Every structure is written in C-alpha cells, then in structure tokens.
Amino acid sequence: MGIRFDSVTVAYDGNVVLESLDLTVGPGEVMALLGPSGSGKTTALRAVAGFVRPESGRVLLGGRDVTDLPPYRRGVGMVVQSYALFPHMRVDENVAFGLKARKAAKGEMRQRVAEALEMTGMAAYARRHPRELSGGQQQRVAIARALAIRPDVLLLDEPLSALDAQLRSGMLAELARLHRELPDVSMLYVTHDQVEALTLADRITVMDKARLQACGTPRELYRSPADEFTASFVGGANLLPVTVGSGGVSFAGTELKVDTEGALAGARATLCVRPHLVALGQGPNQLAGVVREIQWRGATHRLYVEVDGHTVMADLRELKDPPAYGDPVMLHFASEDAVLLPAGVTHE
C-alpha cells in the first residue's frame, strides 16, 4: 500500500507548518523525510497517521482517501522517539495493545505477538517490564507493537534519536533487515540525521520551512544536489561562491576547471565539493590557504582551511603528519568531483 500526499497543507492558528506537499511513497518503499526542526516533516507524518487534519489537500493510502478517517481506521503502525510503552505492562502486553484495541481473537493475538517479538529479537524478554530493558530494547518493543497489527504502512518519527551512537547503528541495521523481511510494507521515516536517511531510505525527501525542497535517491541527492540547502543537509559540502567563465569558474581570484554546461558566462553560481573529495597538496583545481582548525575524527582528520576569507573543509584519511594551526597549505580537487549549483540567497 502506497502513501500519497495530494497538495496537503496544515496550519495552526493561521501559521502554515506544512505547505502544499505533493509526494508519493510507493508500495514497499522506504521514504525518509529529512530536514531541520520545524521543517514540517513530523507534521507530514502525523497527517498520515490521522493526528492532524489538513487545512487543504488529501491524504491517500493505497489509493483510498483517508483524510477524514480517524487514526484507528487507517491501518498504520507508528513508532515514536519516546517509545511510549506502558510501564505497568509486560513486553508482551505492550505488543498486544493495538491488537486488543482491534478486538483480535486471543489465539490470533498470541500468534501475532510472538511473531512480532521474534522478528525484532525480543522473544526472550516477553515477560519483562519496560523498566527492565535498555533503551534499544524498549525501541524494539515499540517497533514490535507497531508490526503486530500487520500494517501496510509503518510510520517512524525519529525512532533512534534517544539512543547512543552504538545502539543507533545497531538499530539501523535491524530496521534495514525488517525492510527486507517485510518488502510490501511502506515506511515513512522522519529524521534530521542524514546518516540514517542515507543508510535506510530508498528515496529521501528534503524539507525546509514547511516545504519540500528536493526528492530523490540517496545517491542522486548526494552526488547531484539541486540546490545549496540540499547539498549542505545531505552529506555536508563546501559551497563556494563562483563566477562562471567560458571554460570553468573563478573562485577567490583562482580559475577552476569544472563542468559549466548550461550556465551562462558571467553569472554567479555556487560550486559544491564534498570534503572527502578535497585532497592535500598540489594538483588540479588548486587552492592556497591557511589552516584555521584541525579535528581528529579517528579514521580521518578534518581540516578547515581559510582561502581568501572563505572556509574550505577537507576530510583526509590516515594523515600521519597533519599540518598545524596557521600553516599554509595547498588543496586540490578533481573537476568531475565538483557540481555547479544556482547561487544561493547569500550570494545574490
């Protein structure tokens, strides 16, 4: 069952928090809604769940208009960041809650609870209470509860944000496994974490200021972002203000050879280069600068280099003898590793 937002607008007291959203999530697809706080992504999720009523537009599930249906009649499962488990109930009782609300037969309820707990690796904890579980285990129970009703649509609202880094990584792997085991379940996954979106989603919708900014596969958005916001929010990027020339661009008085097809000579634009594609030393598209900060990140060093008043980031692997603060350095990048974008508002 797919999800369709048909020009959905949501407003609170005249304040628009989701504006004219047109988006389709295919059957069995994992769609991540990625964006900063206040971008409208959770509102979109709640509109599918039935917890908010659109001011205009329609929400459709499997082609059926559910805009006016209450949540319990939509057949969706939902997982939130706070787990929302009942502390006085055992794990199996929590998982059975949605089935009880639907008045499932006792035999069917036992079977579905057992299946959901087995699928999430929590079968051995069925008789425990939430207080006896770790955060990661509690989130597994919350996912099991959502899966027990066998939803066609699974909604996940920042489900890993309360977990530490190691648990988050493990839960991402578990969600990816669940996706493989439940190929017909459509998932709408809200997050502000780009790693989660890039790891899990078939497609990513980037949102900002209540509007959809871009939508595409993780590879498309990472390698060929359509604008500055998408480039900076999906993966992080160097965004350099440039002027388009006949065979390249000019940045800080330096001529750089990049693909300018479709750009007008003399126009202002933004050059996007990912930090891991910037190398240290001499080479093509060379930039001279001064180290202003250096961060050791285990497998990499991140250099922040000032180039004519602009900061250029370089992520360098296995740097045994890194430069020091204030050292002059040369950076370079390959022409094919740069993407030319329309100039953002900061450069207009």
Side-chain angles (χ1 to χ4, degrees), residues 132-254:
E132 300 175 276
L133 305 176
S134 68
Q137 290 170 333
Q138 290 184 52
Q139 193 59 290
R140 287 170 185 255
V141 175
I143 293 171
R145 180 177 58 191
L147 294 177
I149 65 171
R150 294 181 182 171
D152 294 312
V153 171
L154 183 60
L155 308 176
L156 301 110
D157 187 7
E158 302 203 32
L160 310 184
S161 62
L163 305 180
D164 62 40
Q166 186 172 1
L167 281 175
R168 190 179 303 123
S169 177
M171 282 301 300
L172 269 178
E174 288 299 312
L175 287 172
R177 179 184 60 79
L178 282 173
H179 177 40
R180 292 192 298 270
E181 293 183 5
L182 301 168
D184 297 326
V185 176
S186 300
M187 297 186 190
L188 196 59
Y189 189 100
V190 165
T191 182
H192 63 270
D193 188 304
Q194 57 184 330
V195 174
E196 292 180 19
L198 291 169
T199 301
L200 190 63
D202 297 311
R203 286 191 297 153
I204 298 172
T205 294
V206 180
M207 302 189 69
D208 187 42
K209 298 177 181 177
R211 297 186 65 89
L212 185 155
Q213 299 296 319
C215 184
T217 67
R219 186 178 295 270
E220 288 169 346
L221 296 184
Y222 188 81
R223 293 190 171 180
S224 303
D227 53 54
E228 289 190 22
F229 181 82
T230 302
S232 62
F233 211 84
V234 181
N238 291 301
L239 299 173
L240 311 178
V242 298
T243 301
V244 179
S246 56
V249 298
S250 174
F251 167 68
T254 300

Side-chain angles (χ1 to χ4, degrees), residues 14-317:
N15 180 37
V16 175
V17 294
L18 184 66
E19 185 173 357
S20 300
L21 178 61
D22 279 303
L23 182 67
T24 298
V25 183
E29 182 178 28
V30 178
M31 174 73 79
L33 298 183
L34 179 66
S37 298
S39 60
K41 56 189 188 297
T42 293
T43 299
L45 192 86
R46 291 172 62 83
V48 176
F51 298 142
V52 297
R53 176 71 167 79
E55 185 173 90
S56 61
R58 300 182 302 157
V59 177
L60 297 95
L61 297 178
R64 180 176 63 128
D65 189 342
V66 299
T67 310
D68 296 320
L69 289 183
Y72 67 88
R73 292 186 58 193
R74 299 194 180 198
V76 302
M78 188 166 182
V79 181
V80 297
Q81 59 183 327
S82 61
Y83 317 141
L85 301 178
F86 298 105
H88 64 287
M89 291 184 181
R90 298 191 312 264
V91 164
D92 55 355
E93 294 171 331
N94 268 282
V95 175
F97 182 80
L99 293 168
K100 285 185 177 180
R102 288 163 173 77
K103 303 187 186 311
K106 289 185 177 181
E108 181 186 12
M109 193 181 307
R110 283 194 297 269
Q111 179 184 347
R112 289 201 188 184
V113 169
E115 288 176 354
L117 288 174
E118 185 68 32
M119 189 173 293
T120 54
M122 291 300 293
Y125 300 87
R127 309 291 292 181
R128 296 193 185 183
H129 286 81
R131 63 179 178 273
E132 300 175 276
L133 305 176
S134 68
Q137 290 170 333
Q138 290 184 52
Q139 193 59 290
R140 287 170 185 255
V141 175
I143 293 171
R145 180 177 58 191
L147 294 177
I149 65 171
R150 294 181 182 171
D152 294 312
V153 171
L154 183 60
L155 308 176
L156 301 110
D157 187 7
E158 302 203 32
L160 310 184
S161 62
L163 305 180
D164 62 40
Q166 186 172 1
L167 281 175
R168 190 179 303 123
S169 177
M171 282 301 300
L172 269 178
E174 288 299 312
L175 287 172
R177 179 184 60 79
L178 282 173
H179 177 40
R180 292 192 298 270
E181 293 183 5
L182 301 168
D184 297 326
V185 176
S186 300
M187 297 186 190
L188 196 59
Y189 189 100
V190 165
T191 182
H192 63 270
D193 188 304
Q194 57 184 330
V195 174
E196 292 180 19
L198 291 169
T199 301
L200 190 63
D202 297 311
R203 286 191 297 153
I204 298 172
T205 294
V206 180
M207 302 189 69
D208 187 42
K209 298 177 181 177
R211 297 186 65 89
L212 185 155
Q213 299 296 319
C215 184
T217 67
R219 186 178 295 270
E220 288 169 346
L221 296 184
Y222 188 81
R223 293 190 171 180
S224 303
D227 53 54
E228 289 190 22
F229 181 82
T230 302
S232 62
F233 211 84
V234 181
N238 291 301
L239 299 173
L240 311 178
V242 298
T243 301
V244 179
S246 56
V249 298
S250 174
F251 167 68
T254 300
E255 298 300 317
L256 305 173
K257 297 294 184 182
V258 298
D259 183 6
T260 59
E261 183 179 357
L264 296 175
R268 286 179 290 181
T270 297
L271 194 66
C272 170
V273 187
R274 300 293 182 182
H276 75 278
L277 298 174
V278 178
L280 190 63
Q282 296 183 341
N285 291 327
Q286 192 167 284
L287 299 172
V290 177
V291 176
R292 291 306 182 201
E293 185 177 349
I294 183 167
Q295 298 174 351
W296 181 61
R297 300 186 173 191
T300 64
H301 285 83
R302 169 164 286 189
L303 268 61
Y304 293 83
V305 179
E306 182 181 339
V307 179
D308 195 35
H310 301 277
T311 299
V312 179
M313 298 177 292
D315 288 341
L316 307 168
R317 295 185 64 84

